[in-house]
Amino acid sequence: MNTIVMKFGGTSVANNEKLRNIAEIVTREVKNHKIVVVLSAMAGETNKLQSYLDEFGSKNSIESDLVLTSGEQVTIGLLSAALKNKGIKSIPLLGWQVPIITDESYEKAKILKVDNNRIEKYFKENDVIVLAGFQGININGKITSLGRGGSDTTAVAIASAIDAQRCDIYTDVEGVFTTDPNIEKNAKKISKLSFEEMLEMSSTGAKVLHTRSVELAMKNNLTLQVLSSLTQNTGTLIIDEEDLIEKEIVSGVSYSKNEAKVTISGILDKPGISAKIFGLMAENNINVDMIVQNISQDGIFANITFTINQKDHDLTKTVIENSEKILEYKSLSLDKNVAKISVIGMGMMSQSGVAEKMFKTLAKNAINILAISTSEIKISVLIDEKHTNIAVKSLHEVYNL
Ligand code: ADP
Ligand code: ASP
Ligand code: MG
């Protein structure tokens, strides 16, 4: 079957006029394909649902995922109605109706299986399936959500399951840019990017694609296209590294203000302390990112600094304070006013001097580096959040992006 997947994000489905526009885009493609359209909730809707839940302190629960996933039910129903108005045979489906089966964790469920037989059955009578993004059902029959921004992951999972010809991710910008075009007006659209680069960009803050959607696309070697629902220009192709002819030294700069810095001072400088600290973090499902350890002059005490997601700030504080007797530290401080800035590029693997350029540029702007982490194709630094814009702009300029 000649099928494609088209995913539209929150701003693209924000009202009936935008939904009519999507119905137009889908109509153009339906002549030649069977289509799975994956939708998000209207822009702002999931945030609103989250704020209702916050009032009852409901987190990671049956209730939170049932509420959070409800916005998508509205948009798929409306778009399917708009398509039927245009004479297109369409059916709206929620995640559980496919079913998209996930593991049992709430608010960050992982997809275990997508039943493609059911999709093929629905296509016998319909040309378009309008599928709710961001949701699934676990083996106990409970509704789950895939994590904020997770509709991209639904799109990739369904495209892989049905072996779709294309998976197009329509959004409010024309593709993946050298940095967030909403903070740097000189940012340029990138025509092709490797999965690895996109993975580093997403995981360091470029929310244009959900990180797990890129992981899944890379695993299944599924080419993704990111493009705008407002123009008809070509977007950005995310492809296998081997198909990328020109490898840029630096392809992009990303930032994340979602970080928090944790410093535990005056811990004993002896084997096993780090294992205890990070063991505690793992037990409590807290993801740790950058880690820096300083050993004091006397060789007895050390300080350890690491970063976590801001949403884990309160939990981390409680967990460490409750373990004061085990960890025997002198003081603990947490800081939410930090940001992580990253430069990413495949060419970094073979080219030296990228880090030096980054550190020099930050120094020239009097920006202090609080922590550093690297991978083969990425350098990240932690800085004071107030310097985010100037750091992004000056790095964007110095690497000629
Ligand atoms: P959608 O609702 O369509 O899923 P998102 O808001 O999740 O859209 O993602 C699109 C946004 O990602 C853009 O509006 C842009 O501000 C942001 N963004 C961050 N970094 C980048 C980048 N490097 N390229 C393109 N967009 C980016
Ligand atoms: N509506 C969900 C969210 O806002 C999923 C998505 O948009 O991808 O996070
Ligand atoms: Mg998104």
Side-chain angles (χ1 to χ4, degrees):
M1 209 182 342
N2 191 0
T3 49
I4 59 170
V5 172
M6 305 169 83
K7 180 262 171 179
F8 296 87
T11 41
S12 305
V13 297
N15 52 45
N16 278 3
E17 196 192 325
K18 301 242 170 122
L19 286 164
R20 273 194 207 99
N21 173 46
I22 295 179
E24 281 301 316
I25 301 175
V26 173
T27 307
R28 286 203 291 270
E29 297 282 358
V30 85
K31 293 176 193 105
N32 308 316
H33 306 98
K34 295 269 184 185
I35 305 175
V36 179
V37 177
V38 175
L39 297 187
S40 296
M42 292 187 184
E45 191 59 30
T46 316
N47 287 347
K48 194 174 84 188
L49 297 167
Q50 179 71 65
S51 70
Y52 293 154
L53 285 163
D54 290 346
E55 279 188 40
F56 294 111
S58 188
K59 274 192 193 141
N60 301 319
S61 59
I62 299 182
E63 292 80 9
S64 65
D65 276 7
L66 192 71
V67 172
L68 285 174
T69 55
S70 63
E72 275 74 7
Q73 179 157 348
V74 175
T75 51
I76 61 164
L78 291 173
L79 181 70
S80 187
L83 289 168
K84 280 185 177 154
N85 266 340
K86 291 170 78 68
I88 294 173
K89 288 186 197 149
S90 147
I91 181 165
L93 290 183
L94 292 166
W96 69 266
Q97 292 173 303
V98 174
I100 292 178
I101 299 170
T102 73
D103 67 11
E104 290 175 66
S105 47
Y106 293 110
E107 293 189 33
K108 49 174 180 282
K110 290 210 167 61
I111 296 176
L112 302 177
K113 189 171 181 292
V114 177
D115 190 345
N116 56 351
N117 292 331
R118 296 280 283 277
I119 293 284
E120 275 162 27
K121 201 185 99 211
Y122 286 114
F123 270 142
K124 291 215 169 87
E125 311 203 325
N126 299 280
D127 292 320
V128 180
I129 292 172
V130 188
L131 173 64
F134 176 56
Q135 53 177 257
I137 185 167
N138 70 22
I139 44 169
N140 303 317
K142 308 290 187 301
I143 303 294
T144 51
S145 75
L146 309 181
R148 298 301 307 272
S151 299
D152 300 330
T153 300
T154 307
V156 173
I158 200 86
S160 307
I162 63 174
D163 205 11
Q165 267 191 348
R166 271 177 21 222
C167 182
D168 291 341
I169 309 284
Y170 288 83
T171 184
D172 58 353
V173 288
E174 284 201 350
V176 180
F177 281 66
T178 46
T179 193
D180 186 347
N182 287 325
I183 78 156
E184 172 57 67
K185 66 175 185 342
N186 294 321
K188 288 185 210 77
K189 184 166 69 186
I190 303 170
S191 60
K192 285 180 184 161
L193 205 60
S194 69
F195 290 121
E196 288 84 356
E197 285 168 304
M198 191 63 235
L199 195 56
E200 294 282 19
M201 283 181 82
S202 298
S203 62
T204 54
K207 68 165 185 162
V208 61
L209 282 178
H210 195 230
T211 307
R212 277 182 23 225
S213 72
V214 188
E215 265 166 20
L216 198 58
M218 180 156 103
K219 193 169 136 215
N220 296 315
N221 203 0
L222 172 78
T223 298
L224 297 179
Q225 184 180 193
V226 179
L227 69 174
S228 166
S229 59
L230 304 168
T231 68
Q232 291 195 36
N233 297 335
T234 49
T236 300
L237 288 176
I238 321 292
I239 56 174
D240 196 90
E241 188 210 329
E242 288 183 359
D243 302 326
L244 203 67
I245 297 159
E246 271 188 69
K247 297 189 172 73
E248 297 292 337
I249 296 171
V250 172
S251 306
V253 179
S254 55
Y255 68 94
S256 163
K257 295 183 182 178
N258 267 335
E259 319 289 312
K261 176 170 74 91
V262 183
T263 302
I264 309 176
S265 308
I267 47 173
L268 282 174
D269 186 16
K270 63 173 192 190
I273 293 286
S274 297
K276 273 189 196 154
I277 295 172
F278 297 111
L280 276 171
M281 296 296 107
E283 267 166 41
N284 288 280
N285 238 329
I286 301 169
N287 261 342
V288 171
D289 182 17
M290 304 166 126
I291 303 173
V292 183
Q293 182 172 345
N294 315 312
I295 296 153
S296 66
Q297 301 277 320
D298 56 17
I300 301 172
F301 293 108
N303 302 334
I304 197 154
T305 297
F306 56 93
T307 61
I308 52 167
N309 194 298
Q310 242 179 50
K311 73 170 175 30
D312 292 325
H313 175 278
D314 295 355
L315 177 63
T316 304
K317 188 166 184 285
T318 311
V319 166
I320 297 175
E321 281 175 354
N322 289 346
S323 307
E324 198 179 344
K325 291 227 166 66
I326 309 168
L327 301 176
E328 296 177 276
Y329 59 86
K330 288 192 180 143
S331 66
L332 168 69
S333 67
L334 288 97
D335 185 0
K336 283 187 184 175
N337 298 317
V338 289
K340 185 170 72 173
I341 314 291
S342 309
V343 298
I344 293 121
M346 288 308 290
M348 233 182 253
M349 278 198 261
S350 52
Q351 188 87 18
S352 59
V354 180
E356 184 202 8
K357 207 176 219 177
M358 181 178 202
F359 303 155
K360 269 191 177 157
T361 306
L362 295 171
K364 226 164 87 190
N365 287 285
I367 300 171
N368 197 24
I369 298 173
L370 309 171
I372 302 170
S373 71
T374 61
S375 78
E376 270 191 317
I377 62 162
K378 176 202 73 182
I379 306 166
S380 299
V381 295
L382 193 74
I383 61 169
D384 191 320
E385 188 185 338
K386 67 174 188 273
H387 300 308
T388 306
N389 280 19
I390 180 78
V392 170
K393 281 170 189 286
S394 54
L395 291 170
H396 191 262
E397 197 185 326
V398 80
Y399 291 110
N400 296 320
L401 294 174

